[in-house]
Amino acid sequence: MSVDVIKTDAVIIGAGPVGLFAVFELGLLDVKAHVIDILDRPGGQCAELYPEKPIYDIPAIPIVTGQQLTDQLMEQIEPFGAEYHFNERVDTIEKIEDGFRLVTDCGTQFECKVVVIAAGGGSFTPKRPPLPGIEAYEDTSVFYSVRKMDAFKDKDVLIVGGGDSALDWTLNLQPVAKSLTLVHRRSEFRAAPASVQKMMDLVDSGNISFKLGQVTTLHGDNGQLTGVTVKSPDGSTFEQPTDIMLPFFGLTMKLGPVANWGLNLEENLIPVDTAKFETSEKGIFAIGDINTYPGKLKLILSGFHEGALMAQAAHRIVYPDKKLIFQYTTSSSNLQKKLGVK
């Protein structure tokens, strides 16, 4: 558990395209930001659910995939030095004398002047496998994400799934684990071809095992797994010993802790004004799909617009005695210097 408090100007909750662009708009106004996301990488829904799906309505970009958009935004905001906290979920927000204190499910504490909620439709929640009694093993020997790789050192690890997360963690944990077995119900994968090839190379070299089938039963006691039963495609079963299981069965979207933050909600969305995109709590803003207002359109470009106006209002809170002079990036040498333009 973290004990040090991270102090910053702004905390952005959500690292999807709208949250990432908020880093840009805030950065132009000298507002430093930390970004928190429950996923293990930037991009939010775009990168997690449809990284290769084309998007056609980003201005001046006729076609771009979710992953390409994320990569380009990360490049665009690099000059502002935002700090990222992945695999963390904001559980509580409380008002303090000089702003807000946020605490994540990992115990990380932040103190900031403004909070920007860019959480899309809410928190991504891992899909729980339909296995009897799995709740008893969760957070002890069944995990849905990897917070610290050292926790898997010298363990017999079983990864279940065939998407990017399953393959990525198979490759990353192989050097750490005592043994690693990947189980997937079929021989075709939804992951990047390069990752699949690397995994197969590890199988061929004997560094990991790959087995076809579906986990049907968990075995263990007092929350500690000792093994699982796997049903093969031909209907036969076999026992697979393991200390830890990581099932990657995809994600679902839930409102999550947002509902407990003391903000006014309207059908699980956060009402905002359209001048500042501020919530019912002064200093807490909501942009992107998580907010609602008359005429709201759930488009990425709408979220970009909301982020620009939010940043103007956030600046007045972070720098109450500093006059805000509106400038254009095309003509302001000051802004161009911040962007690293030579």
Side-chain angles (χ1 to χ4, degrees), residues 196-312:
V196 176
Q197 186 57 55
K198 289 178 183 177
M199 181 273 293
M200 296 305 298
D201 289 343
L202 288 172
V203 172
D204 291 341
S205 63
N207 288 303
I208 67 169
S209 297
F210 170 57
K211 299 182 180 180
L212 284 171
Q214 298 185 62
V215 175
T216 59
T217 311
L218 305 179
H219 306 291
D221 190 36
N222 294 323
Q224 180 55 57
L225 277 178
T226 56
V228 301
T229 300
V230 180
K231 184 178 180 180
S232 300
D234 63 5
S236 63
T237 61
F238 63 89
E239 304 300 312
Q240 177 64 45
T242 191
D243 300 319
I244 289 174
M245 183 173 79
L246 289 162
F248 293 108
F249 284 20
L251 301 163
T252 57
M253 187 76 82
K254 294 183 179 179
L255 187 60
V258 176
N260 303 318
W261 292 346
L263 304 173
N264 290 341
L265 294 178
E266 185 178 300
E267 295 183 355
N268 285 339
L269 297 171
I270 303 174
V272 293
D273 68 81
T274 53
K276 305 183 295 290
F277 296 93
E278 199 166 32
T279 69
S280 57
E281 178 69 49
K282 181 175 175 58
I284 300 182
F285 302 85
I287 57 177
D289 287 359
I290 194 72
N291 74 16
T292 184
Y293 53 85
K296 167 72 177 184
L297 292 177
K298 290 191 175 186
L299 296 172
I300 293 173
L301 64 90
S302 298
F304 289 167
H305 156 77
E306 295 162 12
L309 291 185
M310 171 280 298
Q312 301 285 311

